[in-house]
Every structure is written in structure tokens, then in C-alpha cells.
Amino acid sequence: MANRTDEELETKEMDIKSFSSSQRHATSLPYIHKVGVPPKQNLFKEFKMAAKETFLSDDPLRHFKGQSGPRKFILGLQAIFPILEWAQSYNLTKFRGDLIAGLTIASLCIPQDIGYAKLANLQPQYGLYSSFVPPLIYAFMGSSRDIAIGPVAVVSLLLGTLLHNEIDPTKNAAEYLRLAFTATFFAGITQVTLGFLRLGFLIDFLSHAAVVGFMAGAAITIALQQLKGFLGIANANFTKKTDIVSVMHSVFGSAHHGMSLLNYTLFTKLLILISPYLQWNWQTIVIGASFLCFLLFAKYIGKKNRKLFWVPAIAPLISVVLSTVFVYITRADKQGVQIVKHIEKGINPVSLNQIYFTGENLLKGFRIGVVAGMIALTEAVAIGRTFASMKDYQLDGNKEMVALGAMNVVGSMTSCYVATGSFSRSAVNYMSGCQTAVSNIIMSCVVFLTLEFLTPLFKYTPNAILSAIIISAVLGLIDFEAVVLIWKIDKFDFIACMGAFFGVVFASVEMGLLIAVSISFAKILLQVTRPRTAMLGRIPRTNVYRNIQQYPEATKVPGVLIVRVDSAIYFSNSNYIKERILRWLTDEEELLKAAYLPKIQFLIVEMSPVTDIDTSGIHALEELLTSLQKRDVQLVLANPGQTVIDKLFASDFANSIGENKIFLTVADAVVTCAPKSVEEV
């Protein structure tokens, strides 16, 4: 105990000596470092550097420097087709992992694809087509080892909704299909363009919070849309709208009489009792509910024990097989259980001649394709980055965009609709031990065999099973933990999340997307136009100055007001920053006057967070300087960055304020301007 006390005393003595030393340092006015003024740069070079940092920050040509002609050609091919690079080290061990993963995700994707095609208002075979050609293209051009390619629920619903707004899929099925191929073509063109021009940063404008809300809303909407198949509603006038009010009105709004009561269990009696009045089919409900419980239980097993990941992966295929056999044996289709009926046999037919390249539908397809392509891209890039970080390898976002775009362009010419990375299948792919994109090739081969030989077996598959599979799949899109975390971290992000969610659920998918984008942009504009500012104080026994709200022990320097601006100063916020600084000054002077303390003599603006300044910003500083001169307060700047100091000298503002009023640190500014105040502190 005594030793510990001695150590504490020694520490206190050292602190006192250090503080005394800092006081002596302050009173002796040591050498103050000047802020470096960068030499003037050539305008062309400055523009070139800015463009390179914006579009070529990763320097994609670095591998080509100093290489021979043939080597550059090989590197160029590997840049376009990454498979040529990693295939050189491919071996039997990796193939074993890819084979297991490919077979596993194939068992999951086949039933899902048939159901997702329904979301897009397309025939079931088009979902299978979209899991055959696109994964092959991606395997050669993609840079992710874990993404499983194919149709996904959100994009299918979005595409189906946007297409249905233009053409009725039941009355004009041929035109609807052509518009779907056209939208897929332009979705691919959009993705390739973004990747080729290295504009991938544009998708980052859709914030994570907005995406969480949008996905959750889409999951609710998709699940509600499946009630028609899940409940066996045969009403041809079932709403095509996606909002919860319209769907629930269609579910509960119909009524007709019929059917007599039978002696079954209490639950079945209840279903039989209410089914005639609501046009529900109780046999369909029993089938759908039973297998939905089975699918959810399989998911629960997979979550509880990661080694049993294959259970939820193969559960959909098992459900399809068992339910199909059951319906075929019992001929439940004769009792009103709706079945898939017919899936065309054979691989993808060519559809290039069906794409609209002229006429009014060209513009419609382009508009729908851009929206669908951006959403598909956002989902795929997010999935790719997630699994790349888990396996600790780099994912080239621009290459991903080109690969995704190329597969959708080729897909549009081979009877596919928009495909992208699926989170559920990618997670299964990852847990199955996939090593490379060969798992996508394996999956594609299984889909090929299904299209060639197995499609007739799906004839008696009940629609309720497809609805149950989709419902169980989309429930994973609702991330409650992410919503809670968003609420804890940023309330404005939570508003964006909820805005996107309620927009999708109560209006439409496109409205939810519009709200998500609008709120994301509103947040950016708010942060740009109303940046944070802070009053700084000195941390005791140091020369460090920090926000007095964050560090209550920080003390103000008498006669000096220190303010930090936490943003670039542009035309959008320059006037606000000037007025905010003057408000700080006014409030502080009123407090000093009430306490009969000396007035403010120096206003020090800490500019290290100010990354840039424009003409309006310079003008605002000039107005601030004029206002301060009228109050007999001197303006001092601390630590302006290279770009800022360059513009301050170019505008001659540095001469107006005086070069001796620009310092390297706040401590230097305080020591020079108010040395006696530092001694008092």
C-alpha cells in the first residue's frame, strides 16, 4: 500500500513539473511553426489528380506498368475474366467443396426460382432460365467466390410491379414478356456502364438504413402477395397491388356460399366453416401451413447448429417432392388445390428478337431496367462485400458491376429476367464450403438437367408449397437487430429506415424506394447545409484543445473563444457557419458580461476538419472578419489544410487577416495571441 502511495505521489509530482514546464513554455513564447503554403499547381495536373482520385482511386492499371506486350494482353484477359487467374491454382480439393456447395444451392434455387417467377408475373420456366445462363457468365467474369447468382424475391417483386403498371400480364402476355426482356437488357447496360465508368460510388447514396427498411417492407409485401396461393384463393380479380390494405381487402373481401361441414379436427372444422365465405380452400391451407412449419423448423435447426446448414438448404426441395407426390396420389387438384400444371421443357430459347429497340416500349423498358438494375446491384455488392470480408479477400466493386451487367445483358437475349446475388443462397453456398465461382457452374448444370429432363415432374406441385417456400425465404429479409441498432446509433437513419418500410408496405415498392432515396439525400443535404460546430477548451495540464461538451473538464481560455468547424465550407453552408460562429461569440460575450469578466479579444477558428472551401466560403470568412473588426475582436485561423490554405492565399484573404494570424495548432495560436491567459489556465 505504501509503495502504491509513493508511486502516486511521484506521478503527481511529474504532472506538476510537466504543467509548470508548459507554463514556462507558454510564457517564453517558443518558436511557432508556420503553416505550410503549397506551391501553385498546374490546373490540368490538379484536375487530372482529382479525376484519378474520384474514378481511379484503386489504380486499375498498376499491374500493367513495366510489363511486356504479351504479358499485358494476358493481364487484360485476366482482368475481364478472373477465372483465367484463379483457375491456374484450382485443384481437386477445391472442386470437392464447390461440388457440394453447387449441389446444395441447386436444391434450394430450383423451387425458389419457380416461385420467384410468379412474383415477376412470368411463367415458372423463366425463373429456371435465369438460374442457368447468368450464373455461367458470372462464374467467368465475377470476382466473388461466394455469391450465388439467380432471381431474388425483392427484384422479382419490383420488376413485376413496375412491368404490370405498364402492361397487363394476363391480357397481353407476349408484350409483357418482351418488356421484361427489354428491362433486363437495360438493367444489364446500366450495371455495365456504372462499372466501366467506375461510378459504383453512386449506389452508396442509398444508405444502409434505407436498404434495411426497404428490404423489410418488401419482405412483408412479398409474404402478403403469397396469401393468394397459400390460402387457395381462386378469385381472378385478386388485387395486383402490393400495399397491405389492397391485399388484405382481397383476402377477406370475397364471399360466396357452398360446401357442407365435415367431421374433422377442430382446426379443420374451423377452416371448412370459414373457407366458403372467404373463397379459401381448406385443403390448400393445410398443405401450405404444414410445409411452412416444416420449412421454418428446418431454418431453426440450421441456426441452432451451423453444421446442419444443409437441412434448411434441402428443405424446400423435400417440400416440393413430398407435396407433389401427395397431390398426385390423392388427386387433391380435383378438390380445388391449385397446381403448377405445366413447365416448358428445354433450355433457354433465344429472345434477342423480342427486345424492344424502337417504339414507346423502349423508353418504358429503359426506365424500369435502370431502377431494377440499381436495386439488383445494391443487393449483390452488399452481399459480395459481406462474404469477402468474412473470408478476408478483396472484392473489386467495378468488376462486379461489369460482370453482373454482362450476365443480365446476355440473359435478356436468352429468355432470362433480372438476376443478381441472393443472400440466402450465398449464405448456404458459403456454409457448404464453396471455394470458387465453380459452385455457380455446378448449380447451373443441375438447373440445365432439370430443364431438360425433370420439368414434367413439377406438374402436380401445389402453388401453396411455392408460396410457403417464398414466405419462409423472405422472412430472413426482416432484420430486427439491425433496426434496433439503427435506432440506438442514429435517429435520422431510423426515420429513413421506417420511411422506406412504411412506403413499401402501405403504398408500393417504387414509392418505398423513392422515399428511401429521398430521405437518404435529405440526410446528406442536412449534413452539408447544417454542419456541426463546437466550442473548444483546454484539457488540464496539456496543450490539447477539445470540445467542451465532450470533455467537461476542458476549460475556456480567458479572452479567447475557440470554435471548430467540422465540415468543408461551401456555398450551401457558408452563411450558416458564419452566423453560427457569430452566435457562439454573442452568447459567450453575454455570459462574460453577466459574470463581469473581460470580453473576448480573439476568435480562433480550428480548421483542421475543413477539407475544402469555395468562393462563397471565402466570402463568408470576409464577412466574418468585417463583423469581428466592428466588435474589436481579432480573427485567428488554426491548421487549415493544403487545399484551404492555397485558396486563402489565392483569394488574398490570408493577407487581409494577416499571415501572422494563421497557426499550425490551436495551442500555438493561444500561446501567441494570449500568453497571459494560458498562464491563468
Side-chain angles (χ1 to χ4, degrees):
M1 186 73 180
N3 293 337
R4 196 177 305 160
T5 305
D6 292 341
E7 290 178 2
E8 290 177 356
L9 290 173
E10 289 177 6
T11 304
K12 288 182 178 180
E13 288 175 3
M14 290 177 65
D15 289 340
I16 293 170
K17 290 179 181 178
S18 175
F19 181 51
S20 302
S21 175
S22 65
Q23 284 187 325
R24 290 195 301 271
H25 182 72
T27 54
S28 60
L29 291 180
Y31 176 75
I32 304 298
H33 293 277
K34 286 189 175 182
V35 175
V37 182
K40 279 199 170 185
Q41 295 188 8
N42 180 278
L43 181 62
F44 175 74
K45 287 185 177 180
E46 190 173 353
F47 177 78
K48 182 179 177 182
M49 286 179 62
K52 182 178 179 181
E53 187 62 29
T54 302
F55 301 106
L56 301 172
S57 57
D58 55 348
D59 192 10
L61 301 178
R62 65 187 183 278
H63 299 299
F64 294 86
K65 295 175 182 177
Q67 302 291 341
S68 62
R71 181 59 181 165
K72 286 182 179 179
F73 176 74
I74 294 173
L75 290 174
L77 285 178
Q78 290 178 350
I80 300 173
F81 303 104
I83 192 173
L84 298 177
E85 182 178 358
W86 55 258
Q88 299 174 16
S89 59
Y90 199 72
N91 54 42
L92 188 60
T93 303
K94 291 182 178 180
F95 177 73
R96 189 183 300 113
D98 288 334
L99 178 63
I100 296 172
L103 294 174
T104 307
I105 58 176
S107 67
L108 176 62
C109 85
I110 291 171
Q112 282 186 347
D113 291 345
I114 297 173
Y116 292 160
K118 290 177 57 183
L119 289 177
N121 301 313
L122 295 170
Q123 294 298 315
Q125 63 268 19
Y126 293 103
L128 295 173
Y129 292 161
S130 301
S131 279
F132 172 47
V133 173
L136 289 176
I137 303 298
Y138 181 85
F140 283 84
M141 300 186 66
S143 57
S144 174
R145 306 171 193 168
D146 304 283
I147 284 184
I149 297 297
V152 296
V154 173
V155 176
S156 299
L157 176 68
L158 176 64
L159 190 67
T161 303
L162 296 177
L163 291 172
H164 187 271
N165 290 340
E166 303 295 339
I167 299 176
D168 192 314
T170 54
K171 296 179 181 178
N172 300 299
E175 289 186 20
Y176 182 91
L177 185 61
R178 293 188 64 185
L179 189 61
F181 294 150
T182 305
T184 302
F185 175 79
F186 284 108
I189 293 295
T190 301
Q191 293 167 340
V192 169
T193 303
L194 290 175
F196 185 75
L197 298 179
R198 311 186 74 77
L199 298 175
F201 60 87
L202 293 177
I203 64 175
D204 292 332
F205 280 96
L206 194 61
S207 69
H208 171 70
V211 171
V212 169
F214 175 77
M215 289 294 187
I220 298 294
T221 300
I222 292 168
L224 291 173
Q225 282 287 312
Q226 298 313 302
L227 290 178
K228 180 182 179 182
F230 190 82
L231 300 174
I233 300 174
N235 185 3
N237 296 321
F238 192 89
T239 183
K240 299 297 181 182
K241 296 181 180 179
T242 59
D243 64 282
I244 187 173
V245 176
S246 300
V247 173
M248 298 313 292
H249 182 268
S250 289
V251 170
F252 294 102
S254 306
H256 78 287
H257 300 280
M259 292 184 68
S260 59
L261 293 178
L262 298 175
N263 187 22
Y264 288 97
T265 63
L266 180 62
F267 175 70
T268 308
K269 283 183 179 180
L270 180 62
L271 287 176
I272 296 172
L273 180 65
I274 66 173
S275 293
Y277 296 94
L278 298 173
Q279 292 188 349
W280 296 357
N281 181 272
W282 68 267
Q283 295 96 331
T284 301
I285 297 174
V286 171
I287 294 172
S290 301
F291 282 99
L292 178 59
C293 292
F294 168 68
L295 291 167
L296 294 177
F297 181 68
K299 272 194 168 186
Y300 174 77
I301 292 175
K303 285 184 178 180
K304 292 293 288 184
N305 189 344
R306 291 177 63 89
K307 293 181 180 180
L308 298 177
F309 66 88
W310 52 271
V311 174
I314 66 171
L317 188 59
I318 292 174
S319 300
V320 168
V321 172
L322 293 179
S323 63
T324 302
V325 172
F326 175 78
V327 171
Y328 178 75
I329 293 174
T330 62
R331 296 315 307 260
D333 56 308
K334 301 294 184 180
Q335 304 299 320
V337 175
Q338 299 174 34
I339 57 176
V340 173
K341 292 182 181 178
H342 176 67
I343 300 179
E344 283 192 20
K345 190 177 179 181
I347 60 173
N348 308 36
V350 176
S351 57
L352 176 60
N353 60 336
Q354 297 190 54
I355 299 175
Y356 287 112
F357 291 109
T358 57
E360 60 177 356
N361 286 333
L362 170 63
L363 185 59
K364 294 177 182 177
F366 174 77
R367 186 176 67 252
I368 296 170
V370 170
V371 176
M374 292 290 284
I375 294 300
L377 200 58
T378 302
E379 187 170 355
V381 171
I383 293 169
R385 288 174 178 171
T386 299
F387 288 103
S389 63
M390 291 171 68
K391 284 192 175 180
D392 194 25
Y393 65 89
Q394 295 297 317
L395 188 73
D396 191 325
N398 293 296
K399 282 185 181 179
E400 284 295 287
M401 294 175 200
V402 173
L404 292 165
M407 76 180 193
N408 279 315
V409 169
V410 176
S412 68
M413 301 176 184
T414 53
S415 300
C416 304
Y417 73 96
V418 180
T420 187
S422 166
F423 187 83
S424 59
R425 273 175 264 175
S426 298
V428 171
N429 197 31
Y430 169 80
M431 290 186 289
S432 301
C434 72
Q435 300 295 316
T436 66
V438 170
S439 60
N440 276 292
I441 299 177
I442 302 297
M443 178 190 72
S444 182
C445 292
V446 175
V447 173
F448 165 77
L449 295 174
T450 303
L451 284 167
E452 282 289 349
F453 305 107
L454 303 179
T455 50
L457 300 179
F458 292 101
K459 179 179 179 180
Y460 290 98
T461 300
N463 289 336
I465 285 300
L466 302 179
S467 297
I469 290 171
I470 293 175
I471 292 172
S472 66
V474 299
L475 289 179
L477 297 177
I478 305 175
D479 194 341
F480 292 103
E481 292 181 359
V483 174
V484 172
L485 185 62
I486 290 169
W487 167 259
K488 291 179 179 178
I489 294 175
D490 193 319
K491 300 302 185 287
F492 199 96
D493 265 356
F494 182 77
I495 294 174
C497 180
M498 290 296 101
F501 174 78
F502 288 117
V504 173
V505 171
F506 288 100
S508 63
V509 176
E510 55 266 41
M511 180 57 68
L513 183 61
L514 179 62
I515 292 174
V517 173
S518 300
I519 295 179
S520 297
F521 270 101
K523 181 181 180 181
I524 295 172
L525 291 175
L526 185 63
Q527 290 177 338
V528 169
T529 57
R530 293 294 182 268
R532 298 181 186 276
T533 56
M535 185 184 298
L536 307 185
R538 183 183 180 188
I539 302 297
R541 296 179 292 181
T542 70
N543 284 326
V544 177
Y545 292 81
R546 291 292 182 265
N547 187 346
I548 59 175
Q549 291 184 343
Q550 183 180 358
Y551 298 92
E553 70 274 17
T555 55
K556 299 176 183 178
V557 179
V560 180
L561 176 64
I562 309 169
V563 178
R564 187 183 68 216
V565 179
D566 294 334
S567 168
I569 305 177
Y570 290 132
F571 65 93
S572 58
N573 60 21
S574 57
N575 192 55
Y576 168 79
I577 290 174
K578 179 199 71 176
E579 292 178 353
R580 187 69 188 92
I581 292 175
L582 290 175
R583 284 205 306 273
W584 279 118
L585 180 61
T586 301
D587 294 344
E588 192 65 16
E589 285 182 335
E590 289 177 358
L591 291 174
L592 293 174
K593 185 177 180 180
Y596 300 100
L597 295 174
K599 64 186 296 291
I600 299 295
Q601 295 177 317
F602 297 93
L603 172 65
I604 300 175
V605 181
E606 158 70 298
M607 301 190 72
S608 56
V610 181
T611 56
D612 200 0
I613 191 169
D614 65 0
T615 308
S616 299
I618 297 291
H619 185 62
L621 288 181
E622 291 172 346
E623 291 180 349
L624 176 63
L625 178 62
T626 302
S627 299
L628 293 177
Q629 288 174 344
K630 292 178 181 179
R631 299 186 183 204
D632 197 23
V633 176
Q634 298 185 49
L635 177 62
V636 179
L637 304 182
N639 196 24
Q642 174 183 339
T643 303
V644 175
I645 194 67
D646 190 28
K647 293 182 179 181
L648 291 179
F649 275 91
S651 64
D652 205 40
F653 179 77
N655 293 328
S656 300
I657 190 178
E659 289 188 36
N660 60 339
K661 296 293 177 62
I662 303 177
F663 296 90
L664 182 64
T665 65
V666 174
D668 288 346
V670 173
V671 165
T672 304
C673 298
K676 292 184 179 180
S677 298
V678 178
E679 289 183 33
E680 294 172 7
V681 175

